[in-house]
Amino acid sequence: MSRPPQVEDLAENPIPASPAGTAELELRSFGEPQENGTSTTGPAHIVDRSQLQLIIAGLTDGVILVEADQSLTWANEAALAMHGVDRLEALGADVEQYRKNFQLTYRNNHPLENGRYPIERVVAGEAFDDVIVEVTPAGGNKPQWVHRIRSLVINDANGVPDCLVLILKDATDRFQAEERFQRAFNANPAPAVICRLSDLRYVKVNQGFLEMTGYRREELLGRSTYEIDLFQGAEKRHLAIERLASGETIPQMEAQLDLPSGGSKWVIVAGQPIEIGDEACMLFTFADLEPQKKAETALRHSEEQFEKAFRVSPAPTALLKLADFSFLSVNDAFTRLFKLAEIDVIGRRMDELNFWVDPKAFERFKAAAIETGAIRETEECLHCGEGDIDSLIAGVTVTIADEPCLLCTILDITERKRSERELVAAIDKVMADTSWFSRGLIEKLAELRSINRRDSTGAAVVTLTKRERQVLQFICQGLPDSKIADHLKVSPNTVRNHVAALYKKLQVHNRTEAALWGHANGFRPDAPAAENAKVTEQRLVRSPKY
């Protein structure tokens, strides 16, 4: 008599599989075998089925017993729990009732047709293994469980099917976790692909990778890493291959992907080992370097163009750090103007080289650059190799290699200023006696002289006394102090005192400048005294220095 299978044996290998995929377990009676070798029927047969039920009742896998007449005769607690019921009757009295109580669909959402339910297939004698289905209770609108099902046929001593068995494994948690991962994987904007380590074939790809490369999903899935090399052109390609072969983390590295269109694309790629289901895989993530590469190329071209324009500019030009006003670069015109070699300038601060005749002017220069980001055309006196020069300085802030800088241009206007001073001196000389000048000529000379004078303090309000206005009117007419004294019936000393007061109020230094100021403010030498007096009774405006 053969020994009945023990619980421990079935726990390790519940049902040994036959080569054909259908396991067979002979159930023999506990009585003596008949002469023809068949087992006894009747009560002994029922006892054997009860023992089988006791053996499988405690298994974690669900088990449903089906008779040849398609009736469901027994199910363990695990099988009932996998259907959300606690009684065999809730599963269904037979296969037809089970199909009405539960709707089964494949993982691709295709419903199972009549006759293709696993319970129907086992009744038909079909052997199958690892059929994965989603189970929805009747009246439900979404699957609640995922079952992994295989079939088992138990034959009697004569080889006749005696009991049909469905073995179920609850895969709900696993597939829910995979679904969450799949949703996150697909929604991730970072391009990514997953390859299976057992055969190095790509099994998943997200939309980000397809958009970045132009591949279609079907062009990538199923192909191997040998066909589509993710590490082509990588500096550490050998390290990536070694880590991939051993299933270890692959550090970030630059690589060049071949595109289906025939071009290529620079990317940053990294690999992280993961498990999907029970399979070891490698998750590859990517960052597109093309925008960065294009920006770097454009920046390099821009810098090259800037460098060429900077070097060949005929105007002396310097590039300074805005933080401390130290020189980063100077062009050839700058070194020629200041008689300094470039190596003697680079890295040193502008104030260290003693360029500024007036230190306060340098402080104003710095404040304007920092506060406004620009230096308007400003006249300053600078030291250079052959003496002081008059210069016109302009500048604008720029960013070079993420460093705030000041691009500064210096023009030598010494000759121009000398010509202007000579012109002003000539005007002063010929205007010493303005009595013979016409009004139009005086106004033109005053305008010319004011243009060629450096702007200083700006406009201010001046209030003159009646006597000072009289004296100014006579100065505009070109009269000397003695003549003015005769007209006003005062002493020449008194006239000189009034003239000195006028000079101070008007901020002028001689009679010519006073006359020009008077002409600019409405004093007409040829007008009657009453008319000039009327004009000058108003508060006068002191214009910038002449």
Side-chain angles (χ1 to χ4, degrees):
M1 183 183 299
S2 61
R3 179 178 66 86
Q6 301 298 313
V7 174
E8 292 82 356
D9 298 334
L10 291 177
E12 294 179 2
N13 188 8
I15 306 294
S18 68
T22 302
E24 296 182 358
L25 180 64
E26 294 184 356
L27 297 180
R28 300 183 183 276
S29 68
F30 288 96
E32 294 294 330
Q34 302 298 314
E35 291 181 358
N36 59 7
T38 61
S39 61
T40 59
T41 59
H45 182 81
I46 298 175
V47 170
D48 281 352
R49 182 68 55 80
S50 298
Q51 284 194 345
L52 175 63
Q53 294 171 359
L54 289 174
I55 291 171
I56 64 179
L59 297 179
T60 57
D61 287 351
V63 177
I64 300 175
L65 301 184
V66 186
E67 298 297 333
D69 62 0
Q70 298 192 10
S71 62
L72 278 61
T73 58
W74 187 82
N76 67 353
E77 291 186 3
L80 296 176
M82 291 181 197
H83 290 80
V85 299
D86 55 6
R87 296 178 297 108
L88 178 65
E89 291 79 5
L91 286 180
D94 54 23
V95 171
E96 178 68 20
Q97 190 65 44
Y98 177 88
R99 188 156 50 81
K100 292 180 179 179
N101 291 341
F102 300 95
Q103 179 183 353
L104 274 59
T105 56
Y106 290 118
R107 293 282 294 159
N108 59 7
N109 294 323
H110 290 174
L112 275 69
E113 300 175 353
N114 290 345
R116 301 308 300 167
Y117 270 45
I119 199 168
E120 294 173 314
R121 292 168 62 184
V122 71
V123 169
E126 182 179 348
F128 56 85
D129 192 14
D130 273 346
V131 173
I132 300 174
V133 294
E134 294 179 334
V135 181
T136 305
N141 55 12
K142 60 182 296 187
Q144 292 191 12
W145 306 279
V146 178
H147 292 171
R148 177 174 295 204
I149 306 174
R150 62 189 177 95
S151 65
L152 181 66
V153 177
I154 301 177
N155 295 330
D156 62 14
N158 293 325
V160 177
D162 182 69
C163 183
L164 307 173
V165 183
L166 280 184
I167 301 176
L168 300 83
K169 183 181 290 291
D170 190 353
T172 306
D173 291 342
R174 168 186 165 182
F175 281 100
Q176 285 179 345
E178 289 185 4
E179 285 180 355
R180 289 193 295 270
F181 170 79
Q182 185 68 36
R183 287 195 296 269
F185 178 76
N186 291 333
N188 186 2
V193 296
I194 297 175
C195 84
R196 191 168 45 219
L197 291 180
S198 59
D199 56 5
L200 297 182
R201 293 190 179 276
Y202 300 111
V203 294
K204 291 183 183 294
V205 57
N206 71 355
Q207 190 63 28
F209 184 87
L210 300 178
E211 292 176 355
M212 181 184 73
T213 61
Y215 276 106
R216 297 195 305 272
R217 195 177 300 273
E218 58 272 18
E219 289 179 324
L220 184 73
L221 297 182
R223 300 180 68 180
S224 72
T225 57
Y226 301 106
E227 297 174 273
I228 301 178
D229 188 357
L230 302 181
F231 295 94
Q232 181 176 331
E235 183 179 355
K236 298 181 180 179
R237 185 173 183 275
H238 66 284
L239 174 62
I241 294 174
E242 290 176 2
R243 294 288 182 90
L244 180 60
S246 59
E248 299 178 9
T249 299
I250 301 173
Q252 289 186 0
M253 60 184 68
E254 289 189 13
Q256 195 171 20
L257 285 180
D258 285 334
L259 304 179
S261 61
S264 62
K265 180 183 288 286
W266 281 100
V267 297
I268 294 177
V269 57
Q272 178 64 38
I274 61 171
E275 285 191 3
I276 298 181
D278 296 328
E279 290 187 311
C281 298
M282 183 70 72
L283 169 65
F284 295 105
T285 55
F286 302 82
D288 190 351
L289 281 181
E290 285 300 305
Q292 179 180 335
K293 292 286 186 182
K294 290 180 180 178
E296 290 176 353
T297 301
L299 178 61
R300 184 170 61 254
H301 289 168
S302 176
E303 290 177 348
E304 289 174 355
Q305 292 172 355
F306 170 80
E307 180 68 18
K308 290 178 182 177
F310 179 83
R311 289 294 175 187
V312 303
S313 173
T317 308
L319 186 66
L320 305 99
K321 285 185 180 179
L322 197 60
D324 59 0
F325 287 83
S326 61
F327 287 93
L328 290 173
S329 182
V330 294
N331 67 356
D332 295 340
F334 185 96
T335 58
R336 288 196 301 269
L337 174 64
F338 290 97
K339 305 298 187 292
L340 290 170
E342 184 175 356
I343 193 173
D344 297 328
V345 177
I346 301 304
R348 301 184 66 183
R349 297 196 312 272
M350 184 175 265
D351 55 338
E352 288 181 328
L353 294 174
N354 194 29
F355 282 135
W356 300 82
V357 173
D358 181 6
K360 292 182 179 179
F362 176 59
E363 297 301 324
R364 292 194 298 269
F365 172 85
K366 287 200 305 182
I370 294 172
E371 292 174 6
T372 67
I375 305 294
R376 304 303 176 189
E377 292 185 352
T378 304
E379 292 185 15
E380 298 294 348
C381 190
L382 301 177
H383 294 303
C384 75
E386 296 180 352
D388 297 344
I389 61 170
D390 290 311
S391 64
L392 191 65
I393 303 177
V396 63
T397 54
V398 294
T399 300
I400 305 294
D402 297 329
E403 177 79 33
C405 302
L406 179 68
L407 184 64
C408 182
T409 300
I410 302 172
L411 294 179
D412 183 2
I413 59 172
T414 304
E415 291 301 323
R416 192 185 84 183
K417 295 299 292 183
R418 181 180 295 114
S419 299
E420 290 174 357
R421 284 193 290 269
E422 291 173 352
L423 177 60
V424 170
I427 292 174
D428 286 343
K429 186 174 182 180
V430 300
M431 291 186 68
D433 183 6
T434 62
S435 58
W436 56 276
F437 280 96
S438 68
R439 177 189 172 201
L441 181 58
I442 289 177
E443 290 177 351
K444 290 294 183 181
L445 289 174
E447 181 181 357
L448 179 61
R449 196 171 190 277
S450 64
I451 290 174
N452 288 284
R453 282 286 188 177
R454 183 189 301 177
D455 186 19
S456 60
T457 60
V461 176
V462 177
T463 302
L464 301 180
T465 66
K466 181 179 179 179
R467 182 64 76 185
E468 289 169 346
R469 289 196 296 273
Q470 291 173 338
V471 172
L472 179 58
Q473 179 184 350
F474 291 125
I475 291 176
C476 290
Q477 295 173 357
L479 299 180
D481 290 349
S482 58
K483 295 293 185 181
I484 295 174
D486 291 341
H487 280 286
L488 297 178
K489 308 299 185 184
V490 295
S491 67
N493 286 337
T494 301
V495 173
R496 281 192 290 272
N497 291 336
H498 288 307
V499 170
L502 275 173
Y503 287 177
K504 184 175 182 181
K505 286 185 178 182
L506 303 182
Q507 293 189 358
V508 298
H509 302 90
N510 52 49
R511 300 175 77 87
T512 302
E513 291 182 356
L516 292 173
W517 189 96
H519 287 294
N521 284 272
F523 285 84
R524 297 174 56 195
D526 54 345
E531 182 178 337
N532 278 335
K534 184 178 180 180
V535 172
T536 56
E537 283 175 358
Q538 304 171 2
R539 289 171 61 85
L540 303 176
V541 175
R542 183 179 66 226
S543 300
K545 289 179 65 177
Y546 285 89

